[in-house]
Amino acid sequence: MVVLQQVHCLLAGLPIRIQLDNATAVPYVSHLAVFEEPEDPSNRSFFSEIISSISDVKFSHNGRYMMTRDYLSVKIWDLNMENRPVETYQVHEYLRSKLCSLYENDCIFDKFECCWNGPDNVVMTGSYNNFFRMFDRNTKRDITLEASRENSKPRMVLKPRKVCASGKRKKDEITVDSLDFNKKILHTAWHPKENIIAVATTNNLYIFQDRVN
């Protein structure tokens, strides 16, 4: 099975537009599909075009859905419904208040990938501080995990992490101001048949698998 690690697409300005057109590459395919999500004018800002730019797109294994990743979120599109995504998952919405500083240090231009698990019911993508996030499409639950040398020992179980966006920080939480933006997971992959994932940090590749008793 060939797995495309990254598929680049063009963003035709705002609102979000994803254009599928194989007419020139494959003569017998003539359908043109434009997937578009209208922008809320109240959320328009200097950073709107940057953070809505699509950094990755992946088709589901069953061929029904398409997943896109922009700077702050992951969106799931039904290929039969072009007017809006059917699911939206906020990856690190707590960074919206930090967009000015992220622009100044160029982090806002980071390109995060995303991937499906084998049955297409869980999606995964990376974040900062070597965090990566998983979203269960059935239960709507999500989890944040960390890839680091400290928790990469054999048979060590990863503990969920949580970012404190505001208010008093609880035990084992990390504040937004404490995030290390030099540590980031841009590349992720999920084995098509097993619960085995791979995430890449700046110069390390981590492979995790489901707990084996």
Side-chain angles (χ1 to χ4, degrees):
M1 177 179 181
V2 178
V3 179
L4 298 178
Q5 292 299 318
Q6 183 169 2
V7 181
H8 297 281
C9 67
L10 297 178
L11 180 73
L14 290 175
I16 295 174
R17 296 172 61 89
I18 305 165
Q19 179 171 308
L20 300 180
D21 182 12
N22 292 327
T24 56
V26 186
Y28 54 82
V29 177
S30 59
H31 179 65
L32 172 66
V34 178
F35 293 79
E36 180 174 353
E37 181 183 23
E39 183 193 19
D40 183 352
S42 63
N43 292 331
R44 178 73 180 181
S45 72
F46 172 81
F47 306 106
S48 295
E49 187 170 354
I50 301 174
I51 63 176
S52 64
S53 179
I54 297 171
S55 60
D56 196 18
V57 55
K58 298 282 174 59
F59 289 103
S60 61
H61 298 94
N62 63 16
R64 179 178 176 180
Y65 299 100
M66 177 174 61
M67 173 171 52
T68 60
R69 172 68 205 264
D70 57 43
Y71 188 68
L72 294 178
S73 65
V74 167
K75 294 181 174 66
I76 308 295
W77 303 76
D78 188 322
L79 295 181
N80 297 315
M81 189 171 69
E82 304 169 11
N83 62 326
R84 61 180 176 83
V86 293
E87 302 165 32
T88 299
Y89 301 102
Q90 301 299 334
V91 179
H92 38 221
E93 180 66 19
Y94 46 78
L95 294 182
R96 188 175 291 274
S97 62
K98 303 291 183 181
L99 293 180
C100 287
S101 59
L102 292 169
Y103 180 80
E104 292 175 354
N105 62 20
D106 287 339
C107 284
I108 199 171
F109 301 105
D110 286 333
K111 304 301 181 183
F112 292 94
E113 293 182 359
C114 53
C115 63
W116 304 84
N117 69 338
D120 296 329
N121 63 328
V122 180
V123 297
M124 177 175 65
T125 191
S127 184
Y128 293 105
N129 211 73
N130 279 1
F131 288 167
F132 58 99
R133 306 206 61 199
M134 295 180 179
F135 300 91
D136 191 310
R137 301 179 60 212
N138 294 331
T139 65
K140 304 305 179 184
R141 298 178 64 182
D142 62 85
I143 188 171
T144 301
L145 301 170
E146 181 182 6
S148 67
R149 292 182 180 273
E150 289 73 20
N151 59 22
S152 62
K153 299 178 181 179
R155 296 185 178 277
M156 185 173 183
V157 178
L158 297 183
K159 295 182 179 180
R161 300 300 306 271
K162 187 175 181 180
V163 177
C164 176
S166 60
K168 187 177 181 180
R169 183 175 67 89
K170 298 179 181 179
K171 185 180 180 180
D172 297 330
E173 288 185 342
I174 183 172
T175 63
V176 176
D177 293 332
S178 300
L179 294 174
D180 189 340
F181 293 100
N182 292 315
K183 295 180 179 180
K184 62 193 77 173
I185 293 179
L186 302 179
H187 309 287
T188 58
W190 203 312
H191 193 284
K193 296 182 179 180
E194 305 289 341
N195 267 338
I196 300 175
I197 61 172
V199 297
T201 60
T202 305
N203 55 0
N204 293 289
L205 176 65
Y206 296 89
I207 297 179
F208 303 99
Q209 68 176 27
D210 206 0
R211 183 174 181 177
V212 179
N213 295 325

